[in-house]
Every structure is written in structure tokens, then in C-alpha cells.
């Protein structure tokens, strides 16, 4: 069904409202279809995963980015290149200074929920932007970096910022020792 | 739940791939959820309608466009301003020369199905881009111009181009006579 995405990057811009409103309509529809927030969250994550496993190919082709040498470098690329390219924002990166495998991306602004003031009534466990964590998880899996990706804080749930947590499932030294074999 | 969209137009650009892939994932998911193409088409149209009734407010605010004097002028704005603003393309406008109420927009290219080569197996009646016709229908309804909007030709169904038909439900002279009252 699909064709390669590999085209000139500069033609890839569309009006953000169309995406943001389409996304809002999707979430609203899912809330009608599924009673439990958990099921909506899973659905969004699964959709995001399917997007991520395709988007990564295009991302690598268009940016020319080669293999990252550490988890820290990988998450830095996600924050500074991927978020910037696709959503026009650069989250702040936290963690990784101790060589660990857990990181956070802090989003001061988030285009996806930019026009949303609060969660729909009775949907307090809805992870409105769960598509994003699914996309990151899918993209990372395609480059053999399986990770847990989830929202730790959410402005729509009353937190000051939105925080996406990324925990790589292999320890950093396991990767190094694999590479040295 | 929602906040006004009325912001500076120049910050409203995101990478198109993200939207196109998200839309593809949405259609793929709907095809899993609904056996009948007709139901997927209806769902996409309903989602589009909900987007259109919100998008029109933002569109009018950002473009400063005032009331159009004829159906011809209205469809001209849809083709040359709305499509250009939101999808970066300008469809060719056909019809309306006889003062009638039926028009067609011919899309030589269509970002929404840009990476799609063919319809999924067994989904020959799927109107892949039905979100677009729903958006136009919703937007027109909000400015008191009820219309039937549907895909007449579709590149994904083997046609040379994609054609969206717009038929206004009030005759042109009914509008004029209403205005003159």
C-alpha cells in the first residue's frame, strides 16, 4: 500500500491546525468508542508505534544522522532534531549524566495539545498525547533500541509541564559489551 | 475542552510526514475496526465534519476573508486560499460558469495520499481521503452554505486525478432572493 517517504524535506510542511484538529477529532472519536481511558491510551500508543516504525526511515534518510554512540546522544537527537523537525519544538533533556538508561524530555509547549485546555469530562486518566510516546517507541525499536516510553507528567492533568520518560531496556554497558564482541 | 485557534499564522507549520503518516495509521486502524468500507468512509466524513466546523473560524480570522457574493467565489476561495493554506496545493476549479450550484475541485496531487500506491486489499470502495470532503462540508455548513461534498474521482481507484464534487443545496437564485428580502 505504501510508497517511500524519501523526498525533499522542504516540501514537507503543512498547516499545523489541520493536524492538531485532526488529532483532536481522533481522540474525541476514540473517547466515544472506548469507555476506558486505558483503552484509548493503548489505541493511541499502538497508532503511534505504527507511525514511528515508518517515520524513522524517512528521518534517517533526510537528516543523514548515523549511529549514535550512547543513549545520551540518541535522546539528544530525539529532542533537538526529531522534535524540531516534526513538531517545531525542542524539549529539554534531563537524565543520562550518570551513564544510566533513563531520560526525560520536558515539553514546555506541545503543539498537539496547544488548543486543549483540559481533558474531556470523566476522562481524567486519558493520556491525550499518547501518540507521541508510541511514535518514539516505534522509531527506537526499528533501530534496535527497545525502550519503555510513557508520559510521566502532563500539563492537561494539572502538571506544570509535560514530561515524556524514555527508559532503554538494555543497560548501557550491555550495549557496549555487545559491540566489543 | 478547546481553546481558540486564533494565533499568528506563521507558527502553524509542521512536518507533513507526521500528518500524512498519522492519517494513514488512522485509516488503517479504521479498516481493522470496520468491515464495511462504507462505515470507514462515514467515520472519516464525520471526523472531517467536526474538524471543518472548527477550522472555518480560524480560517476566516487568519485570512480576513469576508462574505463571498456567489457560489463561484466561495469555491474559488476554497481552492485558492483554503487548500493552499492547509495542504499547500491549489486544485483546479471546474463548473459554476452557468450560475449553477455544482462544482468540482480537481486535485492533480494530494498530500494526504501522496505515499499511498493503492487501496488496501479488499477495500475497493474505501474513500481514503474522505476526511477532506467532511472538512469542506462542515466548514460550509458553519457559514450557512449547506452542501453535498463527495469524491467523484479518486486516483487510488484508478482514475487519472482526484475530483471532489461540491453541490450547494440551495439554488443560487434562492440565495439571491433571500438576500434581497
Amino acid at each position: 500500500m505504501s510508497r517511500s517517504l524519501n523526498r525533499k524535506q522542504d516540501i514537507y510542511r503543512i498547516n499545523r491546525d489541520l493536524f492538531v484538529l485532526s488529532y483532536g477529532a481522533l481522540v474525541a472519536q476514540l473517547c466515544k468508542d472506548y469507555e476506558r481511558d486505558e483503552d484509548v491510551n493503548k489505541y493511541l500508543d499502538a497508532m503511534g508505534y505504527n507511525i514511528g516504525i515508518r517515520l524513522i526511515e524517512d528521518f534517517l534518510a533526510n537528516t543523514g544522522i548515523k549511529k549514535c554512540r550512547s543513549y545520551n546522544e540518541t535522546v539528544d537527537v530525539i529532542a533537538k532534531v526529531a522534535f524540531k523537525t516534526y513538531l517545531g519544538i525542542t524539549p529539554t533533556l534531563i537524565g543520562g549524566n550518570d551513564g544510566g538508561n533513563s531520560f526525560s524530555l520536558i515539553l514546555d509547549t506541545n503543539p498537539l495539545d496547544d488548543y486543549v485546555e483540559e481533558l474531556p469530562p470523566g476522562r481524567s486518566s486519558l493520556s491525550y498525547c499518547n501518540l507521541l510516546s508510541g511514535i518514539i517507541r516505534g522509531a527506537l525499536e526499528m533501530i534496535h533500541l527497545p525502550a519503555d516510553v510513557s508520559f510521566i507528567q502532563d500539563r492537561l492533568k494539572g502538571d506544570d509541564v509535560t514530561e515524556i520518560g524514555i527508559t532503554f531496556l538494555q543497560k548501557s554497558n550491555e550495549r557496549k559489551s555487545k559491540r566489543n564482541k
Side-chain angles (χ1 to χ4, degrees), chain A residues 53-68:
Chain A
I53 60 175
R54 289 205 56 206
L55 203 61
I56 183 70
E57 185 192 339
D58 156 63
F59 176 74
L60 295 176
N62 282 315
T63 58
I65 287 171
K66 305 290 176 201
K67 199 164 187 169
C68 294

Side-chain angles (χ1 to χ4, degrees), chain A residues 62-130:
Chain A
N62 282 315
T63 58
I65 287 171
K66 305 290 176 201
K67 199 164 187 169
C68 294
R69 284 162 301 180
S70 63
Y71 288 144
N72 208 65
E73 199 179 322
T74 303
V75 186
D76 201 56
V77 167
I78 293 174
K80 292 186 186 153
V81 189
F83 267 84
K84 186 71 186 166
T85 304
Y86 291 109
L87 288 174
I89 56 168
T90 306
T92 307
L93 172 58
I94 291 180
N97 294 331
D98 54 352
N101 54 333
S102 284
F103 299 81
S104 279
L105 298 171
I106 307 291
L107 285 68
D108 295 320
T109 59
N110 179 3
L112 261 197
D113 69 16
D114 211 14
Y115 310 124
V116 183
E117 278 182 346
E118 54 190 25
L119 291 172
R123 313 296 313 214
S124 60
S125 300
L126 177 66
S127 184
Y128 184 88
C129 296
N130 232 25

